[in-house]
Amino acid sequence: MNDTPSRLPLNRTALVLLVVALAVVWFVPLGWRHLIPSDEGRYAEMAREMFVTGDWITPRYNGYKYFEKPPLQTWLNALTFAWFGIGEWQARLYTAVASFAGVLLVGYTGARLFTPLAGFLAAVVLACSPYWNLMGHFNTLDMGLSLWMAITLCSLLLAQRPGLRPAAVRGWMWACWASMALAVLSKGLVGLILPGAVLVLYTAIARDWALWKRLYLASGLVIFFAIATPWFVLVQQRNPEFFNFFFIVQQFRRYLTPEQNRPGPFYYFVPVLLIGFLPWLSVAWQSLRHAARMPRQPNGFAPMLVLLIWTAFIFLFFSVSHSKLLSYVLPVAPALALMIGAYLPLVGADRYRRHLVGYLVFLVVAALGAIALFFVGDARTPNAQYRAFAVWVYAGIAVAFALTLAALWLIRHGRAGLSGLSGLSAVAATFGAAWLLLGTIAGTGHDEFGRYSSGALLAPAVRAEFAKLPPDTPFYGVDVLDHTLPFYVGHTTIMVQRKDELSFGISVEPNKWIPTIDAWIPRWEADRYALAVMSPDNYAKLSAAGVPMRMVARDNRRVIVEKPQSPQPPQQQPQQPSQPPQSQAAPQS
């Protein structure tokens, strides 16, 4: 630590301008893309239904009870809809705020634990790493979980600094316990199990038993249970089936068995982290070695060892799981950023020059590889979409190449190119901006696919039809669970034949679904008013079978049909599966 500068060559005005610029790049594009299935559509629709129905205790998805995850993100998204209206940027606002706050938190923690320069560079590393940046712009649960776990980690580290007043130690530890509770409300027991296991492993490896005396266990547990417990009690009271499904099926069997059908080899997360921290790979190994060699604080606490154990344990924990998704190891990103940020001030100009030249070569290779986008495609995703996406990719690569050249120029001329910055901090900021803008531009271009996969282009025609019909008009999902269309239409679907991920909700409310297409056909024929969404293949089969349907809209993935209205209503209507209250509350244009 003694080799790193003690002062950051950045004045307050420059810092504010950089934060504002980052905020503009971070938040402005939130509404430039349509929501994509399945996670974005699912969590947006859950929040819409919570907002429309006013039931803040029992989460529902597509009208069915949905207890896979706790409700914190659904609550916050529903509040966002209440404050700002229903829409795409509103659905992503919480995850964007969480990821942006994570960047500021890492910068603050690095500055307090190591040096101001190390904190600044740690923030740059996190903000410009594709893993954190891209995940911060998708409506998924793991970013919210990662923020609360980052607060847990950083609060612990900040609380254990030597020389703090007892009141400051207590305040940081209370923040640690509160954030653990919010992590549990974000995604379940991992919010407690992972930090707890890291703490136990750290004390066993470091033999730092005195740490336990500074955790404020008694008052911390009171805070934890006061925040985490009420919802679990209320939801169990209203839904006796909750406990077994949430804790046994989702928290334990999901981890221990392959029944969720999300398999992956043990090394599944290795390429995730390699690509996710691609801009910093040339210094990643040295950063870990530097972290392992860092001395303890005067009070015996070793923050770098905590960061190493945090990263290794979470990586291994999810690597051995039978259920894997790309975002599961996202909570390691802040710890990695802190370790890389602490090492970067030690990197000399010559080595940084080689680093930048290597990435210039990489960008040229990436541009050549992107040529493949002009030659792929199928009936579901035509080649025209790939060609349109390629334009965005090349624009992002061009911007990244230009900024990397600018960073190289700064090194060669030995002076700052940004007001208030000097030396390698300016180089790091410029190089980081290259990757931030590359991810932002290419990520925005993904809407060349997303606008079609979302079904949003069909929604206006469907909403226009619903506007002509009674509010209780049924909307069937025939052998398909469309994860985004209900959000854009503002209307849930009655499941037909395929349960998909709603098996539990259907099992406790079986009257809300129709088990087969053959059972659905007579109901459809008896309906006075009805709409349905189905695959093009099913539409062709049902049309050939003579099922009465009028096409409302279609794309390569789905067909929306309406029941042709009979001159007179049937004498007897079969009882329809019950529907939750509907609303015209649909995304704002």
Side-chain angles (χ1 to χ4, degrees), residues 110-132:
R112 291 296 183 270
L113 287 179
F114 311 122
T115 67
L117 178 57
F120 171 76
L121 294 174
V124 170
V125 168
L126 188 61
C128 304
S129 296
Y131 198 22
W132 190 263

Side-chain angles (χ1 to χ4, degrees), residues 131 135 142 187 194 255 262-278 281 311-333 336:
Y131 198 22
M135 290 305 303
D142 291 290
K187 209 172 178 185
L194 296 182
Y255 179 83
R262 291 172 176 170
F266 181 80
Y267 56 83
Y268 178 91
F269 294 109
V270 172
V272 172
L273 291 182
L274 291 179
I275 297 172
F277 279 83
L278 189 58
L281 286 187
T311 301
F313 178 76
I314 293 176
F315 176 83
L316 292 174
F317 179 87
F318 287 111
S319 294
V320 301
S321 170
H322 285 277
S323 179
K324 297 182 176 71
L325 285 178
L326 294 176
S327 56
Y328 281 2
V329 296
L330 189 62
V332 309
L336 286 172

Side-chain angles (χ1 to χ4, degrees), residues 34 36 46 97 104 187 189 198 216 239 298 341 432 436 466 493 516 541:
H34 293 85
I36 60 174
M46 289 176 65
V97 169
L104 301 182
K187 209 172 178 185
L189 294 177
V198 169
Y216 287 86
N239 306 275
L436 175 63
F466 272 119
T493 61
T516 66
K541 293 176 183 177

Side-chain angles (χ1 to χ4, degrees), residues 212-232:
W212 288 81
K213 300 177 181 178
R214 304 190 297 269
L215 297 182
Y216 287 86
L217 280 171
S219 57
L221 286 171
V222 170
I223 292 171
F224 176 86
F225 285 110
I227 294 173
T229 303
W231 176 76
F232 287 98

Side-chain angles (χ1 to χ4, degrees), residues 177-211:
W177 286 101
S179 59
M180 269 197 295
L182 292 169
V184 170
L185 285 173
S186 295
K187 209 172 178 185
L189 294 177
V190 292
L192 175 64
I193 291 173
L194 296 182
V198 169
L199 181 64
V200 171
L201 286 172
Y202 165 77
T203 51
I205 294 172
R207 299 185 179 276
D208 185 7
W209 311 112
L211 171 63

Side-chain angles (χ1 to χ4, degrees), residues 69-305:
K69 300 294 184 292
L72 180 60
Q73 182 155 326
T74 306
W75 286 341
L76 294 173
N77 283 347
L79 286 173
T80 303
F81 291 159
W83 294 335
F84 305 114
I86 297 176
E88 292 147 347
W89 70 264
Q90 297 93 325
R92 295 189 180 107
L93 184 60
Y94 168 61
T95 50
V97 169
S99 55
F100 190 80
V103 172
L104 301 182
L105 174 68
V106 162
Y108 177 86
T109 303
R112 291 296 183 270
L113 287 179
F114 311 122
T115 67
L117 178 57
F120 171 76
L121 294 174
V124 170
V125 168
L126 188 61
C128 304
S129 296
Y131 198 22
W132 190 263
N133 175 27
L134 293 178
M135 290 305 303
H137 292 81
F138 284 89
N139 182 22
T140 64
L141 297 183
D142 291 290
M143 181 51 73
L145 171 69
S146 297
L147 171 67
W148 299 117
M149 289 187 63
I151 296 175
T152 299
L153 170 66
C154 292
S155 297
L156 174 67
L157 299 179
L158 291 168
Q160 306 310 317
R161 289 172 293 163
L164 285 186
R165 294 179 293 106
V169 176
R170 182 174 63 248
W172 283 115
M173 285 311 307
W174 282 356
C176 179
W177 286 101
S179 59
M180 269 197 295
L182 292 169
V184 170
L185 285 173
S186 295
K187 209 172 178 185
L189 294 177
V190 292
L192 175 64
I193 291 173
L194 296 182
V198 169
L199 181 64
V200 171
L201 286 172
Y202 165 77
T203 51
I205 294 172
R207 299 185 179 276
D208 185 7
W209 311 112
L211 171 63
W212 288 81
K213 300 177 181 178
R214 304 190 297 269
L215 297 182
Y216 287 86
L217 280 171
S219 57
L221 286 171
V222 170
I223 292 171
F224 176 86
F225 285 110
I227 294 173
T229 303
W231 176 76
F232 287 98
V233 173
L234 290 173
V235 73
Q236 176 65 24
Q237 288 176 345
R238 298 188 186 184
N239 306 275
E241 67 276 7
F242 166 80
F243 185 92
N244 178 73
F245 180 77
F246 180 84
F247 287 104
I248 305 302
V249 176
Q250 285 297 307
Q251 300 292 298
F252 291 103
R253 282 169 51 184
R254 185 187 188 98
Y255 179 83
L256 297 171
T257 69
E259 65 182 35
Q260 293 294 322
N261 195 28
R262 291 172 176 170
F266 181 80
Y267 56 83
Y268 178 91
F269 294 109
V270 172
V272 172
L273 291 182
L274 291 179
I275 297 172
F277 279 83
L278 189 58
W280 315 105
L281 286 187
S282 69
V283 295
W285 176 247
Q286 293 84 351
S287 300
L288 297 178
R289 291 179 59 190
H290 173 254
R293 295 170 177 172
M294 287 278 281
R296 298 191 183 202
Q297 296 175 164
N299 61 358
F301 183 68
M304 279 297 193
L305 182 58

Side-chain angles (χ1 to χ4, degrees), residues 4 15 40 110 118 139 151 161 163 167 178 199 210 291 339 341 347-348 360 371 384 396 423 470 483 498 580:
T4 60
L15 179 61
E40 285 207 297
N139 182 22
I151 296 175
R161 289 172 293 163
L199 181 64
M339 289 186 284
V347 177
L360 286 174
I371 295 174
H483 291 282
R498 180 178 298 185

